């Protein structure tokens, strides 16, 4: 039995009565139910008599939010509100988006994930176990969602959560957090989304030894068994929810790449850590180049931390170079990649396939200075290649030292420096230091939020490289035209749309928009993505008025009249 049906006028009809109505967060209005609704739905006497408006409820909920003593408690209180009243939750989040985004999303969601088993209140999505592959179909059936009920799925296996690593079943919270941003920023209908965690075990000993841990208490499964589990998941998802956009989140480097190589060109899917991160980084680069005036094809780019995110950045920028006329080989040669072993070169062991296009030849580095252990240092790489762009995705706090940055600035008038690791404790450098070390010449985007810095009379705003500028609009645009796949052209369109939302040429201005403009940015991205999808020939629907279609599709946190189903 369906909990409710949506009528043509937007009102809701439900067979539920009494406390069952209040128990459904998509139906529940709390004390905002009108006298007529209370009578018709059997709510008289089980609600206090006074009727409050949504605005009055939101004001009270905001005061309750502010009264919470810590960010973790704020996160938990918002989750509890979501589980009681979805409309009120999103009204509150929408009204205070820039303030609450760090609570429902990064960085606080990282702490919530670490405390998941201890803070557990109620289930928050679908939990699929590698020990019960045959149970995937039943799990989907138990959601009571049909093929036409789901537009968007966010799924994780929790191996590489933010900058904090493997957190097992707690990763469901990153999927929930992402979906909250999709709705608050781009109006994705919260009743048509599904968060999923793929529980394949964990290598986190703290979890394995914790008697309260509620996930699979075993080492993380890899290899053929893992691949079969992913294949089964994808096939069941396509069978149950054939129109849904599948968003992969916080997977490990190897698995993330393997999944996208296998499915990326064939189904409606993308990996946010690889492609979403790459798109927002490309947006920051585009903004920076408006200031320097030096074409993208002439940049020398050093990736510090060439994992899934780092190489995702390189891939997006390389694709943009290719669109401007360089060959794949020529564009790949504009990059250098560096990890704990030093500069990645041909002949090194344990090189991932996705890193190979960016390896440098041994002949190129034969004469370069080395440390006592035979490694080429980061400082030596800077001296030799004189990079114009330095991107950090390593999670190594303070890696971009004063010596490193000053060496870079010695060779480049306006160095583009992007310490992208988050949370802040893992950032390769902080904004104030970068401004001071380069005498205000650096063009900077960061992965973590920083307050503006004043240097010699100029206020420097920071552009936080937040994937939230890309994925909500990408999702809305793809859903609006029923995209068949997610193409590189869609990501390039998203990056350009983000870059167009700022004027980076003013002294001290940010390379990326403020989070305060997130809804505006998301709509611009959605419009650009929808147009790019049609241009790429991967749209199943081509609306006559795209902008109008997008606005009509966007869900808004307003109460609808609820009637009893006769």
């Amino acid at each position: 039995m369906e909990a409710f049906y949506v009528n043509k006028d937007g009102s809701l009809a439900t067979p539920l009565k009494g406390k069952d109505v209040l128990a459904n967060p998509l139906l529940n209005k709390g004390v905002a139910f009108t006298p007529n609704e209370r009578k018709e739905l059997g709510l008289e006497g089980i609600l206090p008599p006074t009727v409050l408006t949504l605005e009055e409820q939101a004001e009270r909920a905001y005061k309750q939010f502010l009264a919470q003593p810590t960010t973790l408690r704020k996160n938990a209180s918002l989750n509890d509100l979501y589980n009681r009243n979805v409309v009120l939750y999103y009204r509150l989040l929408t009204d205070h988006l820039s303030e609450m985004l760090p609570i429902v999303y990064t960085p606080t969601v990282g702490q919530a994930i670490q405390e998941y088993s201890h803070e557990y209140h109620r289930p928050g999505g679908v939990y699929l176990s590698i020990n019960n592959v045959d149970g995937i179909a039943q799990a989907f059936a138990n959601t009571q969602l049909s093929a036409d009920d789901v537009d968007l799925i966010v799924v994780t296996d929790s191996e590489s959560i933010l900058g904090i690593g493997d957190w097992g079943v707690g990763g469901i919270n990153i999927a929930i957090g992402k979906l909250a941003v999709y709705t608050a920023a781009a109006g994705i209908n919260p009743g048509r989304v599904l968060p999923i965690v793929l529980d394949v075990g964990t290598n986190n000993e703290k979890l394995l030894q914790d008697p309260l841990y509620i996930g699979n208490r075993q080492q993380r499964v890899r290899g053929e068994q893992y691949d079969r589990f992913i294949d089964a998941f994808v096939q069941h998802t396509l069978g149950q929810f054939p129109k849904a956009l599948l968003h992969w989140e916080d997977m490990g480097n190897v698995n993330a790449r393997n999944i996208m190589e296998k499915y990326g060109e064939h189904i409606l899917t993308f990996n946010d850590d690889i492609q979403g991160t790459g798109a927002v980084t490309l947006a920051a680069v585009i903004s920076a180049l408006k200031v320097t005036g030096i074409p993208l094809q002439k940049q020398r780019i050093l990736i510090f931390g060439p994992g899934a995110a780092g190489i995702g950045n390189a891939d997006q920028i390389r694709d943009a170079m290719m669109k401007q006329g360089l060959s794949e080989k020529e564009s790949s040669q504009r990059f250098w990649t560096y990890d704990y072993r030093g500069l990645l070169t041909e002949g090194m062991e344990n090189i991932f396939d996705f890193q190979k296009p960016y390896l440098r030849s041994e002949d190129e580095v034969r004469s370069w200075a080395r440390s006592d252990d035979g490694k080429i240092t980061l400082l030596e790489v800077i001296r030799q290649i004189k990079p114009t762009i330095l991107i950090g995705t390593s999670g190594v706090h303070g890696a971009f030292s004063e010596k490193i940055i000053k060496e870079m600035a010695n060779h480049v008038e306006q160095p583009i420096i992007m310490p992208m690791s988050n949370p802040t404790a893992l950032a390769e450098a902080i904004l104030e230091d970068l401004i001071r070390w380069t005498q205000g010449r650096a063009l900077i985007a960061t992965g973590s939020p920083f307050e503006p810095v004043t240097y010699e009379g100029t206020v420097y705003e920071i552009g936080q490289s937040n994937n939230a500028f890309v994925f909500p609009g990408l999702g809305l645009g793809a859903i609006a035209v029923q995209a068949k796949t997610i193409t590189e052209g869609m990501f390039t369109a998203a990056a350009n749309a983000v870059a167009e939302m700022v004027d980076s040429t003013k002294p001290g201005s940010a390379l990326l928009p403020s989070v305060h403009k997130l809804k505006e940015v998301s709509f611009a991205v959605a419009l650009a993505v929808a147009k790019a999808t049609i241009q790429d020939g991967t749209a199943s629907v081509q609306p006559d008025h795209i902008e109008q279609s997008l606005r009509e599709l966007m869900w808004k946190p307003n109460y609808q009249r609820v009637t009893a189903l006769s």
Side-chain angles (χ1 to χ4, degrees), residues 251-261 271 273-274 303 305-316 318 328 332 335 337 339 341 344 350-359 393:
M251 316 290 282
N253 284 344
V254 176
N255 290 329
R257 284 281 171 171
N258 289 344
I259 289 169
M260 289 311 301
E261 286 177 6
N271 183 295
D273 303 293
I274 298 173
I303 305 291
I311 297 299
N313 289 336
D315 288 348
Q316 288 284 336
R318 181 187 63 179
E328 182 174 351
S332 296
F335 293 84
T337 53
D339 68 9
R341 295 166 292 183
L344 297 192
N350 300 318
I351 294 293
F352 296 122
D353 287 343
F354 61 81
Q355 296 170 329
K356 288 180 179 178
Y358 304 105
L359 298 181
T393 47

Side-chain angles (χ1 to χ4, degrees), residues 36 63 79 91 93 160 162 321 390 392 436 461 522:
N36 286 340
K63 291 178 180 178
N79 285 340
R91 178 58 181 267
L93 185 57
S160 186
L162 301 171
M321 288 179 173
L390 175 61
R436 183 164 43 86
E461 303 283 346
S522 295

Side-chain angles (χ1 to χ4, degrees), residues 436-483:
R436 183 164 43 86
W437 294 338
T438 62
Q439 295 82 47
R441 292 186 286 121
L443 301 168
I444 303 164
T446 66
S448 299
F450 288 96
E451 292 298 317
V453 170
T454 300
Y455 178 81
E456 294 188 351
T458 299
V459 177
Y460 292 84
E461 303 283 346
I462 187 59
Q464 184 186 355
S465 183
N466 193 325
N467 290 17
F469 289 128
V470 171
F471 69 79
L474 176 73
L476 177 61
I479 292 169
V481 297
Q482 296 182 24

Side-chain angles (χ1 to χ4, degrees), residues 500-522:
E500 286 296 318
M501 298 300 291
V502 293
D503 181 2
S504 56
T505 60
K506 296 180 180 179
S509 61
L511 299 181
L512 292 166
S514 165
V515 172
H516 293 280
K517 297 176 68 175
L518 182 55
K519 288 187 283 187
E520 184 181 348
V521 172
S522 295

Side-chain angles (χ1 to χ4, degrees), residues 11 21 39 47 69 78 93 150 162 164 191 258 338 394 442 450 478 538:
S11 65
V21 174
K39 182 176 182 179
L47 284 174
L78 289 175
L93 185 57
V150 176
L162 301 171
I164 59 177
N258 289 344
Y338 191 101
S394 66
F450 288 96
T538 57

